C-alpha cells in the first residue's frame, strides 16, 4: 500500500532499526518505545489487522515470536514481556498494517493496563458463549 508507513519501511523508503528479518516478516524497534527494546513484528505484505490476516500469515508471524522474545529478554535484561496486538482504532491501533508489539517488562515498572475486571450476571456468560459460537459458524 503506497501510503502505509510500515509498507514504506518494508520497501526501504523509510528507515527502521531492524532487529530481525525473514522472507515474510520484519521486526524493528518501535520509534516510540514503551520500554527499551520495545519491538514491532510485522508481515512484509500489507494486511490491515488480524481480522484480515489468513491463518497461514498469522502462523508465519507467530513462528518468530518465541525466538524474538528470548532475544529481547536476553538483550534488555527484562524479566517479562507483554505481547500486544491492537486491532482497530478503538483498541489503540494507529498504524493500519498488522503488527505485534513485544514490550519488555520489569518488576515495578510504570507500564500497565487499567485491568478493570468485570463479571457476568447469572446466565450472561452462557448467553455470550452462545453468541460467539453462533458467530463462529458464520465466520470463515
Ligand atoms: P499501534 O498503536 O498498535 O498502531 O502502534 C503503532 C506503533 O508504531 C506505535 O507504537 C509507534 O510508536 C510505532 N511507529 C510508528 N511509526 C514508526 C516508525 N517509523 N518506526 C518505528 N515505529 C513506528
Ligand atoms: Zn502496509
Amino acid at each position: 500500500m503506497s501510503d502505509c508507513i510500515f509498507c514504506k519501511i518494508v520497501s526501504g523508503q523509510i528507515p527502521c532499526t531492524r532487529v530481525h528479518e525473514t522472507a515474510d516478516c520484519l521486526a524493528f524497534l518501535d520509534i516510540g518505545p514503551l520500554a527499551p527494546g520495545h519491538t514491532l513484528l510485522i508481515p512484509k505484505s500489507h494486511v490491515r489487522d488480524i481480522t484480515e490476516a489468513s491463518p497461514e500469515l498469522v502462523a508465519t508471524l507467530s513462528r518468530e515470536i518465541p525466538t524474538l522474545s528470548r532475544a529481547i529478554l536476553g538483550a534488555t535484561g527484562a524479566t517479562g514481556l507483554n505481547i500486544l496486538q491492537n486491532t482497530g482504532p478503538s483498541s489503540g491501533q494507529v498504524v493500519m498494517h498488522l503488527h505485534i508489539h513485544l514490550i519488555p517488562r520489569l518488576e515495578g515498572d510504570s507500564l500497565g493496563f487499567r485491568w478493570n475486571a468485570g463479571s457476568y450476571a447469572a446466565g450472561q456468560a452462557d448467553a455470550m458463549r452462545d453468541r460467539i459460537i453462533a458467530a463462529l459458524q458464520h465466520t470463515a
Side-chain angles (χ1 to χ4, degrees):
M1 274 241 311
S2 57
D3 61 345
C4 170
I5 192 163
F6 285 178
C7 283
K8 287 182 179 167
I9 285 177
V10 170
S11 69
Q13 286 174 264
I14 291 180
C16 74
T17 309
R18 184 178 59 214
V19 300
H20 180 60
E21 185 169 9
T22 68
D24 303 307
C25 309
L26 181 65
F28 52 94
L29 295 183
D30 194 298
I31 204 168
L34 294 182
H38 179 170
T39 297
L40 300 175
L41 173 63
I42 69 169
K44 287 185 174 176
S45 56
H46 182 85
V47 180
R48 190 188 66 207
D49 63 35
I50 199 89
T51 68
E52 298 275 304
S54 67
E56 292 74 21
L57 184 65
V58 174
T60 297
L61 207 53
S62 301
R63 207 170 285 124
E64 305 307 316
I65 292 177
T67 310
L68 201 47
S69 296
R70 285 191 292 271
I72 292 168
L73 287 173
T76 60
T79 51
L81 203 65
N82 282 121
I83 296 173
L84 177 68
Q85 201 287 301
N86 295 327
T87 296
S90 62
S91 76
Q93 184 178 9
V94 173
V95 177
M96 295 299 154
H97 179 129
L98 174 62
H99 54 280
I100 297 172
H101 295 262
L102 296 100
I103 306 166
R105 299 298 305 273
L106 283 169
E107 211 65 53
D109 66 23
S110 60
L111 297 177
F113 295 99
R114 286 191 306 278
W115 199 283
N116 299 328
S119 59
Y120 289 106
Q124 291 304 303
D126 287 349
M128 180 55 71
R129 174 203 58 206
D130 292 346
R131 282 163 55 192
I132 293 172
I133 289 172
L136 278 169
Q137 258 126 52
H138 298 105
T139 307

